[in-house]
Amino acid sequence: MAAPKVAVVGAGVVGLSTAMCIVETYPSCSVTILSDQFSPNTTSDVAAGMLIPHTHPGTPIHVQKQWFKDTFAYLFAISNSAEASEAGIHLVSGWQVFKNTPKEELPFWSDVVLGFRPMSKAELQKFPQHRFGQAFTTLKCDCPPYLLWLEKRLKATGVQMYTRKVADLWDLHSEYNVVVNCAGIGAHQLVGDEKLFPVRGQVLRVHAPWVKNFIRDGDGLTYIYPGIHRVTLGGTRTEGSWSLSPDPGTTKDIFDRCCSLEPSLRGAEDVQVKVGLRPSRQCVRLQRELLSQGGVKLPVVHNYGHGSGGFSMHRGTAKEAARLVGECIAALEGSSSRAKL
């Protein structure tokens, strides 16, 4: 068959990296990205971009670990290259602290990040309200630069990008051989996924260049993540809320909580408030589906529902989605060669 035409719906970190993996794995494909929003207007642009995984109860741990390992290795290589600054990727060391010792002192990802160890008594003196902590080095993506870097690399390989709101995946059947659904929270409406729900996150971006280490409360609600130019302070997790309007009371609460972990933040300046809707479900939906109407078939690969863990596993799930696209193409080629017989 002629070069297979693949459409990727969605231009957040999952959509862009899935398109990248398809291009790298199947260079003969013609890949197009369709999205009603591109950076800087995606949910990914709001994300803190820290590589600290969140556990998905519906996905086996060994699978989540592989996704994280693939992502960490990919970004670590970029952080060690001349592209690191443009891509907005850097190593950052810090602490995850707990008021009580967690049941799981060694999380599944502890041997993927660098130098993971329990905090010493001397280190814990910095956090008088906390009794236990973990120190490690991980990677941080500054999200808008990383998305723009991915877009630039995709365009250089000939990937087309169009601003287009896709209301129904079936609408693409006459233009494309395979469709990949990376619509994030948009999949709730696009494919009617009732298992997908928003978890609203509000964060602050501040100017505090003296803050060099990340600090994360073990409950995952309060965190301080230094980027290249600004420090991200968080956060919130409001299940079921679709509101994208910043809440001033929440802004004050986030700032106060972060200052209790790092009092020097009282001197932070130029506070910007961002809100995003994490596309959450029990497990990431990463699977093939065959749509058909009147004898016409459209192979679809779904890759959405990453919740808070989009950046931590985006490359790993993109690799898997690209493999599934390869299966779809092989099936199409098999059916077209059988048709010739």
Side-chain angles (χ1 to χ4, degrees):
M1 62 186 278
K5 291 184 173 177
V6 179
V8 176
V9 179
V13 69
V14 172
L16 296 179
S17 49
T18 299
M20 182 74 77
C21 286
I22 295 167
V23 168
E24 290 171 356
T25 317
Y26 309 103
S28 65
C29 277
S30 163
V31 178
T32 302
I33 297 173
L34 306 172
S35 185
D36 61 340
Q37 299 288 355
F38 285 83
S39 183
N41 301 315
T42 73
T43 298
S44 300
D45 285 285
V46 180
M50 278 293 283
L51 264 72
I52 301 176
H54 292 256
T55 307
H56 283 260
T59 305
I61 289 293
H62 72 275
V63 173
Q64 296 183 59
K65 183 169 184 175
Q66 189 59 51
W67 290 343
F68 182 58
K69 276 177 82 167
D70 288 345
T71 305
F72 197 95
Y74 177 72
L75 293 176
F76 185 67
I78 298 169
S79 77
N80 271 343
S81 77
E83 304 271 302
S85 167
E86 188 189 347
I89 296 167
H90 60 108
L91 288 165
V92 59
S93 300
W95 306 283
Q96 177 165 251
V97 292
F98 298 81
K99 292 191 170 75
N100 297 297
T101 305
K103 286 199 293 271
E104 196 179 46
E105 290 188 35
L106 278 182
F108 73 82
W109 43 267
S110 60
D111 60 346
V112 180
V113 298
L114 310 178
F116 186 96
R117 59 176 177 79
M119 283 168 67
S120 67
K121 279 204 172 84
E123 285 173 303
L124 278 167
Q125 284 177 7
K126 179 169 169 55
F127 307 102
Q129 324 238 319
H130 295 77
R131 295 171 48 187
F132 178 82
Q134 299 152 337
F136 55 95
T137 298
T138 188
L139 287 152
K140 163 103 170 64
C141 286
D142 278 21
C143 303
Y146 181 57
L147 296 181
L148 291 174
W149 180 82
L150 284 171
E151 282 186 18
K152 181 177 159 185
R153 293 196 65 196
L154 286 162
K155 285 172 182 165
T157 64
V159 171
Q160 302 289 310
M161 299 186 195
Y162 298 110
T163 302
R164 172 175 168 185
K165 182 163 179 65
V166 178
D168 187 334
L169 295 179
W170 184 256
D171 294 345
L172 305 175
H173 80 274
S174 59
E175 299 167 74
Y176 300 98
N177 304 109
V178 182
V179 172
V180 188
N181 170 19
C182 301
I185 196 65
H188 185 271
Q189 194 169 10
L190 180 61
V191 294
D193 187 345
E194 295 296 326
K195 295 177 182 166
L196 184 70
F197 57 93
V199 175
R200 182 183 177 279
Q202 182 166 318
V203 298
L204 318 182
R205 298 234 171 97
V206 304
H207 184 68
W210 60 88
V211 176
K212 305 293 187 194
N213 297 88
F214 76 80
I215 304 168
R216 181 178 194 269
D217 195 298
D219 64 11
L221 269 183
T222 306
Y223 48 83
I224 299 161
Y225 294 152
I228 295 171
H229 301 295
R230 303 183 74 80
V231 183
T232 300
L233 310 182
T236 62
R237 292 178 195 283
T238 315
E239 285 194 18
S241 170
W242 290 88
S243 169
L244 285 168
S245 303
D247 176 70
T250 302
T251 297
K252 182 182 184 312
D253 177 58
I254 291 169
F255 192 69
D256 289 345
R257 280 189 277 129
C258 289
C259 287
S260 75
L261 282 176
E262 179 52 73
S264 72
L265 282 168
R266 289 279 170 208
E269 295 178 334
D270 189 19
V271 178
Q272 299 172 0
V273 186
K274 304 282 183 186
V275 178
L277 305 178
R278 305 175 182 98
S280 302
R281 66 203 300 283
Q282 281 288 100
C283 60
V284 177
R285 187 177 184 197
L286 189 47
Q287 63 184 167
R288 285 169 59 186
E289 183 182 13
L290 191 61
L291 303 182
S292 65
Q293 286 187 28
V296 180
K297 294 183 170 60
L298 176 67
V300 171
V301 173
H302 297 285
N303 183 17
Y304 68 85
H306 295 69
S308 304
F311 271 87
S312 291
M313 57 176 119
H314 70 272
R315 178 71 183 189
T317 59
K319 276 176 73 172
E320 176 64 13
R323 189 185 66 75
L324 295 175
V325 168
E327 289 181 2
C328 293
I329 292 166
L332 287 170
E333 287 171 344
S335 62
S336 71
S337 59
R338 281 195 300 277
K340 285 176 188 147
L341 294 172

